[in-house]
Amino acid sequence: MTDTNKTPLVELRDMSIAFGGIKAVDHVSIDLHAGEVVGLLGHNGAGKSTLIKCLSGAYQADSGEIYIEGKKVNIENPRDARAQNIETIYQTLALADNLNATANLFLGRELVNRFGMVDEGKMEAETRKIMARLNPNFRKFNEPVSALSGGQRQSVAIARAVYFNAKVLIMDEPTAALGPHETQMVSELIQELKAQGLGIFLIEHDIQNVMQLCDRAAVMKNGQMVGVENVADVTEDDILSMIILGKNPKKAT
Amino acid sequence: MTDSKTTNPATQTNMSPVAKFLRATELDTRLLGMFGALALIWLGFHYYGVIFNDFGAFLTARNLWNLSVQTSSIGIMATGMVLVIITRNIDLSVGALVGVTGMTMGILQVDILPAYLGLGNPAIWIITVILGITLGATIGAFHGWLIAYRGIPAFIVTLGGLLVWRGSAFLANNGKTISPVDSTFQLLGGGPYGAVGSTGSWIVGILACLGILWLTVSGRRNRLRHEFALRPMWAEIFVSGAAMAMVIGAVLLVNSYPWPIGIVKQYTEANGLTIPEGGLFISHGFAIPVLILAGVGIMMTILMTKTRFGRYVFAIGGNPEAAALAGINVKWMTLKIFALMGALAGLAGVVASARLNSATNALGVLDELYVIAAAVIGGTSLAGGVGTIYGAILGALVMQSLQTGMVLIGFDTSVQQIVVGSVLVLAVYLDNLYRKRTK
Ligand SMILES: Nc1ncnc2c1ncn2[C@@H]1O[C@H](COP(=O)(O)OP(=O)(O)OP(=O)(O)O)[C@@H](O)[C@H]1O
Ligand SMILES: [Mg+2]
């Protein structure tokens, strides 16, 4: 179990963001330690993706503070987040459909040679290496990702997030499009990365997966945080009732 | 799918010989299609002339040389329009930018600079060109700023720009034409003196061939280093050989077009020479604007295929949100793309006004349509994300070939417009069919 007394790797304090009249995230606080996996659960539209997008720089929170290793940071755009070694797998995958797997993997961080030109060969070789680990059956290196299946696209998005030595990994339903074997490989990957000391936010609807992979589970409803519990201390039913009722059973009893 | 790492794609069986050939050479079928269309247009116009006018005027050195010069300014702008359209924007103002930069440069080199530097000072044309291109880039950057940072659609900004800058071009000199331009500046537009001659053309041709060889060898070495599939040797030789043959062919062509007798006389008198019996054959060689277009084409190709900037242009076109999430500053990129487009319009203004040896406020009228048509015929997708520089230049050549061909066989302007308009629509339709089949 993680040592919760140490300074958290990431701390989101009192985050709020509204779209028009909708409070998508409403005064939410959560933290994440190194070597820990925190599961985020909740109904569709609960605000999970919106919350992590404030951390990944996709959105700017209306209010709230972000601390990385105890230091307050300003994350105003995705570049800021990447600079803090925060990597994200978005629910929408965020791939440029007209580019191939290699170009997508290195998008925004292309390897260049000494003349400042993109080093296509080296990048493709690196892509082949990481894909061999994540999805050994992957062959379509020279086709635009629009020609890939949903699962293949997802493995490209995963490869992109894990290639660049992340400290914090955000995974928004990373296995939604994957087959059972690939899902198993991602589970193993998560455990491996956790052992390496990464902190991982995992948004996941499958409670069994959460119980198996996560140290803590955080449940959101209507933009608010219902509760954060150690997975070891609760049952699947407890979490389910938190999701459905929007109440923390332990606090109620 | 087979593993492309171990299996050479060309060795697969059960493929037709044509498909095998295309796979082995990795030639773009669209590129071949464009060469085919061009051949059809050239032969069509030539033999139309042979049959109905007893003289085929199209496939002559003179006509093809002129065609190359006329293609230059549209071609230069089409390379920039590719970037604009790939990122799902449009620039309707490029023709007006040619007008306003052309007028400004006319005033600069005729009315202003000679007063300070003295008439014929060699710095005049340099300063003029630099300021003209800078003006184009500045206006383009302003358009880009309105589009990216103020959220006004590109269509509206550049439609407004079309009117504003065309009006400004008129006001700049109250509608009066400025002529002649600086004598060195004039060379940038072509003409007998504005060409590099026989020796110069051979030098250009040989450099181009060396470049092709270098690309072939370094491409092969790069694939070997990373253990990727190699093209079969015969395919390498075929592709590079065909490219070099085209270069040599172009050199022979432009060198077979002699100076007119009047110019030869003028030249020999000015240099104290006598014309030998049987006349003096002085080749034009490549026109300077054509070399400018070639240079722009090479630089823009490198920009689009070898730099991060180019990669980001494609990414923004493919998925703007994904590009932003990958840390690309989409707004700043948009501004830079429009600034680049403006700079190229300024350069086209140089070529166009130098070619006419005058600056008029009507310079570049309707160019925006030809430039957009060239990019689109060249395979740039209006849906964004797809396009090539060479395609746009070939597209410009197709447009200009149609135009020139119709003038040669004596079609009215009205008929020309009908044909060009129909060809544009047909080309995009064929392109749609092609994309569906290759998807
Ligand atoms: N860009 C946006 N503009 C307007 N409303 C938004 C935007 N993004 C999210 N919302 C709203 O915020 C709320 C939370 O959405 P969010 O995507 O965070 O849900 P989620 O918990 O990730 O759901 P799911 O499980 O379906 O992915 C929803 O009501 C959604 O409609
Ligand atoms: Mg979501």
Side-chain angles (χ1 to χ4, degrees):
Chain A
M1 201 76 275
T2 31
D3 178 5
T4 38
N5 292 325
K6 266 174 46 187
T7 318
L9 183 57
V10 181
E11 197 182 351
L12 300 176
R13 270 191 215 162
D14 211 24
M15 306 290 288
S16 293
I17 183 168
F19 298 105
I22 303 169
K23 289 181 177 170
V25 174
D26 193 4
H27 297 286
V28 170
S29 297
I30 189 168
D31 59 6
L32 173 72
H33 289 82
E36 184 188 39
V37 182
V38 170
L40 266 177
L41 297 101
H43 279 300
N44 294 126
K48 308 178 295 289
S49 297
T50 307
L51 175 67
I52 57 94
K53 278 184 183 172
C54 294
L55 177 59
S56 76
Y59 292 155
Q60 270 194 277
D62 297 333
S63 66
E65 287 160 356
I66 300 173
Y67 294 82
I68 305 286
E69 291 173 330
K71 265 197 283 202
K72 186 167 186 280
V73 294
N74 253 337
I75 295 181
E76 289 178 358
N77 56 48
R79 264 161 299 158
D80 294 345
R82 283 182 166 197
Q84 298 285 347
N85 294 312
I86 300 169
E87 295 290 332
T88 312
I89 300 160
Y90 291 98
Q91 192 169 8
T92 54
L93 304 184
L95 299 172
D97 275 339
N98 55 334
L99 301 181
N100 63 24
T102 305
N104 269 291
L105 199 147
F106 285 94
L107 192 58
R109 292 183 280 214
E110 290 73 13
L111 303 179
V112 290
N113 61 21
R114 63 203 136 104
F115 307 112
M117 304 281 166
V118 291
D119 194 340
E120 201 70 54
K122 191 161 175 206
M123 290 195 289
E124 185 173 335
E126 288 294 301
T127 308
R128 283 177 190 274
K129 256 190 248 162
I130 180 132
M131 291 309 282
R133 250 183 75 202
L134 293 178
N135 187 348
N137 297 319
F138 190 88
R139 291 285 177 276
K140 296 192 171 177
F141 289 96
N142 292 313
E143 273 153 272
V145 294
S146 60
L148 306 186
S149 75
Q152 288 168 337
R153 291 161 57 84
Q154 197 137 34
S155 49
V156 174
I158 295 173
R160 170 165 69 183
V162 299
Y163 178 78
F164 291 95
N165 297 322
K167 260 194 319 205
V168 179
L169 192 57
I170 300 168
M171 308 173 101
D172 196 346
E173 305 190 29
T175 58
L178 298 186
H181 180 232
E182 289 82 0
T183 302
Q184 183 54 36
M185 293 191 64
V186 171
S187 299
E188 283 163 19
L189 176 73
I190 290 174
Q191 271 150 353
E192 186 187 322
L193 295 172
K194 171 182 151 79
Q196 288 171 17
L198 275 76
I200 301 174
F201 276 124
L202 176 64
I203 298 179
E204 175 68 73
H205 283 292
D206 185 330
I207 297 181
Q208 262 184 332
N209 274 348
V210 172
M211 299 298 282
Q212 184 207 329
L213 289 172
C214 298
D215 301 299
R216 287 186 293 155
V219 177
M220 289 184 71
K221 187 168 185 174
N222 299 332
Q224 291 175 333
M225 185 61 78
V226 176
V228 186
E229 292 300 332
N230 278 333
V231 167
D233 305 341
V234 290
T235 63
E236 276 182 40
D237 285 344
D238 290 336
I239 293 181
L240 202 58
S241 72
M242 279 167 82
I243 293 172
I244 294 169
L245 301 174
K247 275 191 283 208
N248 193 337
K250 294 180 87 189
K251 282 186 185 137
T253 50
Chain B
M1 274 308 292
T2 46
D3 188 346
S4 54
K5 202 170 173 178
T6 52
T7 320
N8 189 316
T11 57
Q12 284 176 15
T13 44
N14 71 36
M15 269 167 45
S16 77
V18 178
K20 255 189 204 170
F21 171 81
L22 288 177
R23 274 202 93 149
T25 53
E26 295 174 15
L27 280 176
D28 181 2
T29 43
R30 179 197 302 279
L31 178 69
L32 296 180
M34 295 204 40
F35 276 126
L38 210 51
L40 218 65
I41 292 169
W42 288 15
L43 291 172
F45 279 120
H46 188 74
Y47 285 102
Y48 183 98
V50 169
I51 292 165
F52 294 98
N53 304 345
D54 289 325
F55 175 62
F58 201 98
L59 295 178
T60 58
R62 174 194 158 94
N63 181 57
L64 293 177
W65 190 88
N66 280 323
L67 178 64
S68 73
V69 176
Q70 284 158 355
T71 305
S72 305
S73 84
I74 298 287
I76 288 168
M77 288 190 279
T79 64
M81 192 61 79
V82 171
L83 279 66
V84 172
I85 297 180
I86 285 181
T87 49
R88 307 185 183 186
N89 284 316
I90 197 80
D91 193 338
L92 299 173
S93 70
V94 293
L97 285 188
V98 168
V100 78
T101 54
M103 267 330 263
T104 310
M105 289 187 286
I107 294 170
L108 261 176
Q109 63 188 308
V110 175
D111 294 343
I112 299 177
L113 291 175
Y116 293 97
L117 302 170
L119 202 62
N121 188 312
I124 290 179
W125 77 272
I126 300 174
I127 297 175
T128 303
V129 169
I130 292 174
L131 288 181
I133 292 174
T134 311
L135 176 67
T138 311
I139 296 175
F142 177 58
H143 289 169
W145 177 77
L146 288 173
I147 294 159
Y149 291 91
R150 287 294 166 264
I152 312 172
F155 186 90
I156 299 300
V157 169
T158 58
L159 181 61
L162 185 161
L163 297 168
V164 168
W165 304 118
R166 182 59 69 195
S168 310
F170 185 92
L171 283 184
N173 206 33
N174 288 321
K176 290 192 295 273
T177 297
I178 298 167
S179 183
V181 296
D182 179 82
S183 57
T184 316
F185 183 88
Q186 195 199 336
L187 301 182
L188 301 174
Y193 295 125
V196 294
S198 171
T199 317
S201 299
W202 276 115
I203 294 173
V204 170
I206 288 166
L207 283 178
C209 288
L210 289 177
I212 292 165
L213 283 178
W214 180 79
L215 279 180
T216 311
V217 172
S218 73
R220 219 180 152 78
R221 209 179 283 151
N222 208 10
R223 288 183 188 212
L224 266 179
R225 180 145 47 96
H226 295 290
E227 301 177 343
F228 300 157
L230 287 174
R231 280 201 276 208
M233 204 39 122
W234 65 264
E236 301 269 25
I237 292 172
F238 175 84
V239 172
S240 52
M244 288 192 284
M246 267 189 264
V247 170
I248 305 283
V251 173
L252 290 173
L253 178 79
V254 293
N255 282 351
S256 70
Y257 176 38
W259 281 10
I261 294 171
I263 300 285
V264 174
K265 263 201 192 119
Q266 197 187 59
Y267 174 78
T268 46
E269 276 163 21
N271 290 281
L273 303 168
T274 47
I275 303 179
E277 232 172 287
L280 186 61
F281 190 100
I282 303 180
S283 301
H284 275 79
F286 286 116
I288 290 175
V290 175
L291 296 180
I292 295 176
L293 172 60
V296 166
I298 291 169
M299 274 172 1
M300 293 293 283
T301 302
I302 293 173
L303 182 74
M304 287 302 278
T305 58
K306 296 277 175 239
T307 69
R308 288 183 167 160
F309 182 91
R311 191 55 62 84
Y312 299 167
V313 169
F314 282 113
I316 291 170
N319 186 344
E321 291 83 39
L325 290 176
I328 297 167
N329 192 336
V330 177
K331 289 179 179 172
W332 179 229
M333 281 291 298
T334 303
L335 193 153
K336 285 196 281 190
I337 290 165
F338 275 89
L340 179 59
M341 180 73 253
L344 289 169
L347 182 58
V350 171
V351 169
S353 61
R355 182 172 142 67
L356 289 178
N357 192 17
S358 68
T360 78
N361 61 295
L363 200 66
V365 165
L366 287 187
D367 271 8
E368 57 280 350
L369 300 184
Y370 284 99
V371 169
I372 293 167
V376 170
I377 286 181
T380 311
S381 160
L382 286 166
V386 181
T388 58
I389 300 297
Y390 67 76
I393 293 177
L394 274 176
L397 188 56
V398 167
M399 295 296 294
Q400 198 57 52
S401 298
L402 274 176
Q403 189 83 21
T404 309
M406 288 189 294
V407 172
L408 277 183
I409 61 179
F411 278 5
D412 283 348
T413 328
S414 46
V415 180
Q416 293 175 22
Q417 287 174 339
I418 293 172
V419 171
V420 168
S422 313
V423 165
L424 174 62
V425 175
L426 183 70
V428 173
Y429 174 66
L430 291 178
D431 191 54
N432 275 352
L433 293 184
Y434 169 82
R435 271 182 225 277
K436 276 201 191 107
R437 275 195 43 206
T438 53
K439 207 156 200 175

